[in-house]
Amino acid sequence: MIKLGQFLPDQPPYKNAGATVATNVVPAANGYTNFPDVLPFSGATNKFIRGMFAAKDDSASAAIYVGDENSLYKFDATDSSLDDISKTSNASYSTGTGYVWRFVQFGEDVIATNYSDPIQTIAAAGGGRFSDLGGSPPKARFIAVVRDFVMCGYTNDTTDGEKPYRVRWSGIGDYDSWAVDPNTQADFQDISDMGAVTGLVGGEYATILMEKGIVRAQYVGSPLVFEFDKVQLQRGCKVAGSVAALGRNVFYLSDDGFYVFDGSSSKPIGAEKVNRFFLKRFQSNNAARMSAVVDPSRQIVVWSYPSVDSGDGTPDELIIYNYAIDSWSTASIGLDAMAPLFTAGYTLEGLATISTNLDTLPSSLDSAVYKGGEFFFAGAKDKKIQTFTGDNLNAIVETGEFDMQAGKSSLVNGIIPYIENDSGSPLTVTAQVASRDSGNAEVTFGTASTLNTDNFCPVRSSGRFHRVRLNLSGSWTNVQGIDVDGQVRGRR
């Protein structure tokens, strides 16, 4: 069997032990699994979504918040609408080009920033509207909760103006206290010679991603409050939207590709695998439209980005990294934002607002998206929150290039795919073969042949070198590889 190994588009196709194309699939330990399409979960915002967040209060009541260019919204489970809860109705904000909404939860309060407007706050899962955060905080591009502090990065305030290289934090345990004061421990730090802040991740310590490196800020108490260590100087984060965190691990895009930072050093995860492929595909002049998120349920990191095929810079592709097995894939779908969310829950009456027929609900009735407090991986598209609960996207997987005997031509008569699917569910599998006599010849795939009742796809293709494309649609769970029925014909 020719196994469908790791997606390795940066390697030459001949003798490539992995897959040269892996579209609309997720890497697995043995081959690839399916990747579902998205389905609308909410009503629409006025402009495209620039950030999403889920919060719970101390009684476990949950709420989903969404921001677009001019408004902040809350998801209403009674009718699936996104209700405008901006500080005032009708275009309360003016999120600048290239900026997004970033959210954190501090205690029982949600805090949101878009850099263009004053930082906003609201009681988690409560009623009412957002309002300006008290204590005269700076405007900020980035925000995180670090121990008992709210910390901001890339700030702009009325006293010092725009400071791309500054981080500033609130008083200890008090997000309404921002005046520099040794008693409250509110203060700021300018980080020199490392460019602008491009990401901020909280926790027990702060991970500050910058254009030319990474800084770790550790709480040490008064008088310093935080100790700043430049733990990485050789590379920084290229794109703010590329940052995604899982525990202490922070995934990001640098000038030369993808890395993961573990709190002390970075490890390359895309080198000689997908970096060159991605950087050729990435429309860097619209880098601000990139977003990233970790889906722990599938152990993947997903980046949404505008490719060179996007005419207007709208995200149109995903690149997917399975961090458990160190493997990659892609998907031909674009999302404006992504986030791990959890739901407020539906009643049967609430489900009727989505569809009057339970059989036509956009997701299965036992889906987690209808259960209160359940985690689900979400994206934003067409101004709506979307869930990955649709039918499987049509998948394409291609083998590397192989020969049956070195230096000799061969004839391929049939392809036997190894695919698992849900019992009794419809599945369509076709195979195409591209054969050529020289490594310089054009690669052209033949007509797609459908899997027959004898479990093979009949084809007829001759040449010295061959590669196989599988096209999968319908209900399938795993594709592992292929067998090739062929015969050596002689030298050419």
Side-chain angles (χ1 to χ4, degrees):
M1 182 175 70
I2 299 175
K3 290 187 176 182
L4 292 170
Q6 289 194 38
F7 176 50
L8 299 172
D10 285 0
Q11 297 303 307
Y14 181 61
K15 297 293 187 181
N16 189 327
T20 54
V21 174
T23 301
N24 296 335
V25 294
V26 175
N30 192 357
Y32 295 87
T33 59
N34 60 60
F35 192 76
D37 200 357
V38 294
L39 290 174
F41 176 73
S42 74
T45 56
N46 294 321
K47 304 288 183 68
F48 76 83
I49 292 174
R50 300 200 190 190
M52 303 185 294
F53 186 73
K56 286 184 181 180
D57 63 16
D58 288 347
S59 64
S61 297
I64 297 173
Y65 299 95
V66 169
D68 67 9
E69 179 181 346
N70 301 127
S71 302
L72 287 166
Y73 306 83
K74 181 181 177 183
F75 177 75
D76 187 343
T78 63
D79 61 4
S80 300
S81 65
L82 291 173
D83 298 336
D84 189 331
I85 56 168
S86 307
K87 61 181 180 180
T88 58
S89 59
N90 300 321
S92 298
Y93 314 108
S94 54
T95 309
T97 302
Y99 298 146
V100 301
W101 283 100
R102 290 184 167 89
F103 300 83
V104 295
Q105 183 170 353
F106 189 83
E108 287 202 88
D109 294 292
V110 172
I111 304 171
T113 185
N114 68 349
Y115 191 62
S116 302
D117 298 287
I119 296 177
Q120 299 293 290
T121 187
I122 195 171
R129 293 183 173 273
F130 276 93
S131 60
D132 291 352
L133 187 64
S136 299
K139 295 178 181 178
R141 286 192 65 180
F142 307 99
I143 192 166
V145 175
V146 184
R147 291 178 63 101
D148 296 320
F149 301 85
V150 175
M151 181 176 285
C152 297
Y154 199 123
T155 65
N156 189 343
D157 59 41
T158 55
T159 302
D160 296 332
E162 185 175 64
K163 298 293 182 182
Y165 46 80
R166 175 173 290 181
V167 292
R168 186 172 168 185
W169 56 92
S170 69
I172 186 168
D174 186 1
Y175 63 72
D176 278 326
S177 175
W178 289 88
V180 175
D181 186 339
N183 294 314
T184 66
Q185 300 188 31
D187 208 341
F188 67 88
Q189 177 70 43
D190 291 338
I191 303 171
S192 61
D193 304 323
M194 300 189 72
V197 176
T198 54
L200 182 61
V201 178
E204 281 299 302
Y205 57 85
T207 300
I208 306 163
L209 297 101
M210 306 189 73
E211 291 175 314
K212 299 179 182 179
I214 298 178
V215 175
R216 185 177 60 228
Q218 188 82 41
Y219 178 72
V220 293
S222 297
L224 294 177
V225 188
F226 284 95
E227 182 176 78
F228 291 80
D229 297 313
K230 296 180 178 179
V231 293
Q232 179 171 294
L233 298 174
Q234 65 270 35
R235 71 179 56 83
C237 175
K238 179 180 181 179
V239 180
S242 71
V243 178
L246 177 68
R248 69 175 186 176
N249 292 318
V250 180
F251 302 87
Y252 67 96
L253 176 66
S254 190
D255 289 318
D256 59 346
F258 292 100
Y259 289 84
V260 58
F261 177 75
D262 65 2
S264 58
S265 63
S266 289
K267 180 184 79 171
I269 56 175
E272 294 302 311
K273 293 183 177 182
V274 301
N275 283 348
R276 292 192 293 273
F277 162 82
F278 172 79
L279 293 172
K280 285 181 180 178
R281 297 289 303 161
F282 183 39
Q283 194 180 121
S284 58
N285 59 320
N286 282 302
R289 296 297 303 273
M290 174 180 266
S291 59
V293 72
V294 175
D295 178 5
S297 64
R298 298 194 76 168
Q299 297 181 302
I300 57 176
V301 189
V302 183
W303 289 267
S304 177
Y305 64 95
S307 79
V308 291
D309 297 329
S310 175
D312 60 358
T314 300
D316 62 339
E317 289 184 357
L318 306 179
I319 190 163
I320 302 164
Y321 176 63
N322 186 321
Y323 53 82
I325 59 172
D326 192 28
S327 295
W328 295 83
S329 65
T330 64
S332 55
I333 181 173
L335 300 167
D336 294 317
M338 296 179 291
L341 302 179
F342 39 79
T343 62
Y346 282 89
T347 63
L348 285 176
E349 291 77 10
L351 289 174
T353 66
I354 303 175
S355 174
T356 56
N357 186 342
L358 294 181
D359 293 330
T360 59
L361 286 168
S363 301
S364 170
L365 189 58
D366 60 0
S367 172
V369 301
Y370 301 130
K371 302 174 184 177
E374 292 292 320
F375 167 87
F376 68 99
F377 176 43
K381 184 180 180 183
D382 299 329
K383 305 177 185 178
K384 299 177 181 179
I385 302 172
Q386 307 271 347
T387 60
F388 290 85
T389 54
D391 294 334
N392 292 341
L393 289 169
N394 293 338
I396 301 173
V397 185
E398 291 181 13
T399 68
E401 201 163 61
F402 58 90
D403 50 14
M404 293 190 181
Q405 187 171 330
K408 292 189 177 183
S409 179
S410 54
L411 174 66
V412 177
N413 297 311
I415 303 299
I416 304 168
Y418 292 92
I419 302 168
E420 293 194 14
N421 71 312
D422 297 328
S423 178
S425 300
L427 167 68
T428 300
V429 181
T430 65
Q432 297 171 264
V433 180
S435 302
R436 55 182 181 168
D437 292 316
S438 166
N440 296 323
E442 183 180 356
V443 176
T444 303
F445 281 92
T447 303
S449 173
T450 303
L451 187 70
N452 61 25
T453 55
D454 293 322
N455 199 41
F456 75 93
C457 301
V459 297
R460 188 172 181 84
S461 185
S462 63
R464 282 186 59 193
F465 309 109
H466 313 278
R467 62 182 77 181
V468 177
R469 173 187 292 167
L470 292 181
N471 306 289
L472 313 175
S473 61
S475 181
W476 65 277
T477 56
N478 181 272
V479 56
Q480 297 174 259
I482 61 167
D483 270 333
V484 177
D485 176 28
Q487 59 198 59
V488 177
R489 304 184 68 180
R491 295 187 179 275
R492 291 292 299 271

